[in-house]
Amino acid sequence: MEGLRKKLITVAVLAIVSLLIQLAAYIYSINLFQADLKTLQDIHTFVENVLELRRYEKNFAYDIGEKDIDEVLEFVTYIQTGMESVENSPVAGLYHEDLLLFKSNLKAYRQLAIQAKDQKNPDLKSLRSYGHKMLLFSKEVLNSNQTYITDSLRKIMIVPAIAMFLFGGSLIIALVLLTIATLKQIKFVTQTTRRIAQGDFRSINPYDEGYSTYPRIIKAFNLMIKELDSRQEQILQSKKLAAIGTLTSGIAHEVNNPLNNISLTAETLLEEKESLTKDEEEEMLLDIINEVTRASNVVNNLLDFSRSHGQMVFESLDVATVLKTTLKLIRNQIMLSGVKLETHFPEESFLIKGDLNGLKQVFINLFLNAIHAMQGGGLLSLTILANDEKTVTVQVSDTGQGMPPEVLEKIFDPFFTTKSIGQGTGLGLSVVYGIVNKHNGYIEVNSRAGEGTTFAVTLPRVLEITQDAD
C-alpha cells in the first residue's frame, strides 16, 4: 500500500503543478493580449491621425490659412508620436522596410506643409501622393495588427481548452492505471487473506511474478503468517488436550482392563503362592508384565499425541500405519459408542511425506466427528484409494445423520459447529483443513441429510525407491 500511496501523492502533486502552470500560462497570455490590444488601440489612433491629416489636403488647392497649416503640422507630430506603437507592435517585422519609407514620406509631407506656411506654393501633386502612400501604409499596419489580435484571441480560447483536454485525459489514464493497480492489490490481499483464513500459512515469495510491486504488503503478510503459525501451534496443542478429554472414557476403560487383570493375577499369586509350581508362578508374572506393557503402550500413545513438537516434522509415512496408529487411540471410544469399524486397506504400501502428529490430529477429528454423527451406533468405514502414482486418498465414511447443504458449505469455517456443548474434540475442521493444506493436500466432503457423510483426504504420494543388491 505504501507504493500505491506514493503513486497517488505523485499524481496529485503533478495535477496541482500542471493546473498551476496552466493558470500561470493563461494569466500570462491574458496580460500579453491586453498589451497587444492597447497597441492596437494606439495604432487605430495613428490611422485616425493620418486620415485627419489627409482631410486638410484639399485646402492646399485653395487659400489655406496659417492656422490650418499649424493644425496639419500638429497632426504630423501626433503621427510621429504614434509611430512608436507601430514600431513596437508584435508584427512590426512584417512592414519594417515600409515603415522606413513611411517615415521618409512623412518627413517630405511636413516639409511641403512648412513651405505652404512660408507663403510658397507647395507641390500639391507630391503632397497628395505622400498622403495617399501614408494612408495605405497605416491601413496595412492596422489590418496586420487586427489579424494578429484575432489570432491571439483564438489561441487564448483554444489552447487552454486543448491543454485542459490533454490534462484531463492524462489524469483519467493515470487514475485508470492506479485503479487497476489498486484492484490488483485488493485482489492479492483478498486471496492471501482467504488462504490464511483456511489455514495455509506458507510464506509469500516476494520474487514471484506479479508480487514484486508491493513488497511492504508482502512483508506485513509474512510477519502476520509467522505470528499466526506460532499461534496455531498453541491452538493445536490446546485442541489436542481437548481431544484427550473426549477420549478419556475410552482410554480409562482400556487402561482399567490391564490394571484389573494385574490386580487379579497378583492377588491369586499372593493367595496361592505355596500351592503353585515354579512354572505357574513364572506364567502369572509374565501375564502381569504383559498387562503392564499393554497399559504402558496406551499411556505412551496418549502422551505422544498430547506432546507438542513445535514445527511440523515431515518424514516418509505409510498411510495404513498412520491410520492404524490413530485407531489405537479411539478403539475403546468406538466400542463404547456401539459403532462398527470396517477397514479397506490394500496390501500395497502407500508412502506420503507428512507429520505423524499432525495427521493423527486430522484423522482423530474425522473419526470422532463420525462417531458423534452416529448416535445409537452405525458403521464407520475407512478406505485407502490410490488415485494414480501422484496421490492417495483416505475416505472416512459414516452412516450418521448427514448434513444439509446450508451446513455443508460452512463446515470449514472457523468456530462453526453443529455439536452440543461439551461434545467433539473442539479441534475444528478449519484447523484440519489447514493441516491438510500444509501437507500440500486437500480435503473434500460429500454428505446428504439422513444418508451419512464421507470425508476424503487426498495427499501427495512419495514413490518408494528400492535398490537391487549386487
Side-chain angles (χ1 to χ4, degrees):
M1 291 297 180
E2 182 68 22
L4 181 61
R5 183 171 62 182
K6 288 182 178 179
K7 290 179 181 178
L8 287 172
I9 293 174
T10 301
V11 170
V13 170
L14 290 177
I16 294 172
V17 170
S18 178
L19 286 174
L20 291 176
I21 291 174
Q22 290 183 53
L23 180 61
Y26 184 73
I27 294 174
Y28 178 74
S29 299
I30 290 295
N31 289 333
L32 286 180
F33 180 76
Q34 290 177 340
D36 293 339
L37 190 60
K38 175 66 170 57
T39 301
L40 180 64
Q41 292 173 346
D42 293 341
I43 291 174
H44 191 274
T45 302
F46 169 79
V47 174
E48 289 292 333
N49 290 332
V50 174
L51 287 173
E52 288 295 330
L53 184 66
R54 294 219 62 197
R55 290 192 185 101
Y56 285 94
E57 287 181 9
K58 61 181 183 296
N59 295 332
F60 281 95
Y62 306 101
D63 187 14
I64 187 170
E66 185 176 343
K67 183 178 179 181
D68 291 334
I69 294 176
D70 288 337
E71 289 183 1
V72 169
L73 293 174
E74 186 177 352
F75 277 109
V76 170
T77 303
Y78 291 156
I79 293 172
Q80 288 176 332
T81 304
M83 284 178 59
E84 182 179 355
S85 299
V86 176
E87 292 174 336
N88 295 330
S89 73
V91 292
L94 298 176
Y95 46 78
H96 178 68
E97 294 182 359
D98 293 336
L99 180 61
L100 296 176
L101 181 60
F102 177 85
K103 289 180 178 180
S104 176
N105 292 334
L106 182 62
K107 183 177 181 181
Y109 195 96
R110 185 173 182 277
Q111 290 296 330
L112 291 173
I114 292 174
Q115 289 178 9
K117 186 176 181 181
D118 294 338
Q119 303 299 322
K120 296 179 180 179
N121 294 325
D123 186 351
L124 186 58
K125 183 177 180 180
S126 297
L127 189 71
R128 289 182 176 178
S129 176
Y130 291 140
H132 177 69
K133 291 178 181 179
M134 288 191 298
L135 182 61
L136 289 178
F137 172 75
S138 63
K139 288 182 177 180
E140 178 188 349
V141 171
L142 180 63
N143 290 334
S144 299
N145 281 274
Q146 285 178 337
T147 301
Y148 176 80
I149 288 294
T150 302
D151 292 340
S152 297
L153 182 61
R154 186 181 298 112
K155 290 178 181 179
I156 291 175
M157 295 175 64
I158 294 176
V159 171
I162 295 175
M164 288 301 296
F165 175 78
L166 294 176
F167 169 74
S170 301
L171 186 61
I172 290 173
I173 293 173
L175 290 176
V176 168
L177 294 176
L178 283 174
T179 302
I180 292 173
T182 303
L183 291 176
K184 285 183 178 180
Q185 293 195 17
I186 292 174
K187 181 180 179 182
F188 169 75
V189 170
T190 302
Q191 290 177 343
T192 306
T193 304
R194 185 182 297 115
R195 177 168 70 82
I196 295 172
Q198 292 173 344
D200 186 355
F201 296 142
R202 290 175 296 172
S203 297
I204 305 167
N205 186 356
Y207 299 104
D208 287 346
E209 184 178 358
Y211 288 173
S212 58
T213 54
Y214 24 88
R216 289 181 178 270
I217 299 178
I218 295 174
K219 183 178 179 180
F221 264 122
N222 283 337
L223 180 61
M224 181 178 68
I225 288 170
K226 183 179 179 181
E227 291 296 324
L228 286 175
D229 197 19
S230 175
R231 297 294 186 274
Q232 190 197 40
E233 180 59 33
Q234 298 175 12
I235 292 173
L236 290 179
Q237 181 64 15
S238 66
K239 297 306 181 183
K240 283 190 286 185
L241 296 177
I244 292 173
T246 303
L247 297 173
T248 298
S249 59
I251 296 297
H253 185 273
E254 190 165 353
V255 173
N256 193 48
N257 285 338
L259 289 178
N260 286 335
N261 292 336
I262 291 171
S263 178
L264 290 173
T265 304
E267 288 178 2
T268 302
L269 181 61
L270 184 61
E271 293 175 358
E272 302 179 5
K273 181 178 180 181
E274 296 180 357
S275 61
L276 295 175
T277 64
K278 186 176 181 180
D279 291 337
E280 288 175 337
E281 287 182 359
E282 290 181 355
E283 183 180 354
M284 295 181 74
L285 290 172
L286 287 174
D287 287 340
I288 292 174
I289 292 173
N290 289 334
E291 291 300 323
V292 170
T293 302
R294 176 184 168 189
S296 177
N297 288 336
V298 173
V299 174
N300 285 336
N301 286 336
L302 192 61
L303 289 174
D304 183 62
F305 173 65
S306 65
R307 190 176 296 116
S308 174
H309 296 289
Q311 295 293 327
M312 288 187 173
V313 178
F314 289 85
E315 55 186 336
S316 294
L317 301 171
D318 176 55
V319 177
T321 303
V322 173
L323 293 177
K324 291 175 183 177
T325 303
T326 307
L327 284 172
K328 289 180 181 180
L329 291 169
I330 64 165
R331 182 173 57 191
N332 280 278
Q333 192 77 19
I334 294 173
M335 181 186 67
L336 294 173
S337 301
V339 172
K340 181 181 178 182
L341 177 63
E342 194 175 83
T343 59
H344 303 279
F345 298 166
E347 295 182 1
E348 180 184 358
S349 295
F350 297 110
L351 296 181
I352 59 173
K353 200 78 169 178
D355 176 73
L356 179 59
N357 207 35
L359 292 175
K360 279 183 181 180
Q361 293 179 64
V362 169
F363 292 117
I364 280 183
N365 190 75
L366 296 180
F367 295 163
L368 292 177
N369 281 349
I371 292 172
H372 291 153
M374 296 183 288
Q375 298 296 329
L379 176 63
L380 174 60
S381 179
L382 308 181
T383 306
I384 298 176
L385 297 174
N387 305 313
D388 47 41
E389 293 183 352
K390 295 183 178 180
T391 59
V392 60
T393 298
V394 177
Q395 290 183 345
V396 180
S397 302
D398 64 66
T399 57
Q401 57 191 0
M403 292 177 285
E406 60 271 16
V407 173
L408 196 62
E409 65 183 13
K410 298 179 181 178
I411 59 172
F412 293 113
D413 292 349
F415 310 112
F416 178 79
T417 181
T418 59
K419 297 176 182 178
S420 302
I421 297 175
Q423 289 189 348
T425 65
L427 187 60
L429 287 174
S430 63
V431 179
V432 169
Y433 184 97
I435 296 174
V436 173
N437 198 285
K438 278 192 174 183
H439 285 74
N440 295 321
Y442 57 90
I443 183 170
E444 298 174 305
V445 60
N446 183 22
S447 180
R448 290 186 180 180
E451 298 183 9
T453 303
T454 298
F455 282 91
V457 178
T458 301
L459 300 168
R461 289 178 59 183
V462 176
L463 298 181
E464 186 175 8
I465 301 175
T466 58
Q467 294 181 346
D468 296 334
D470 293 334

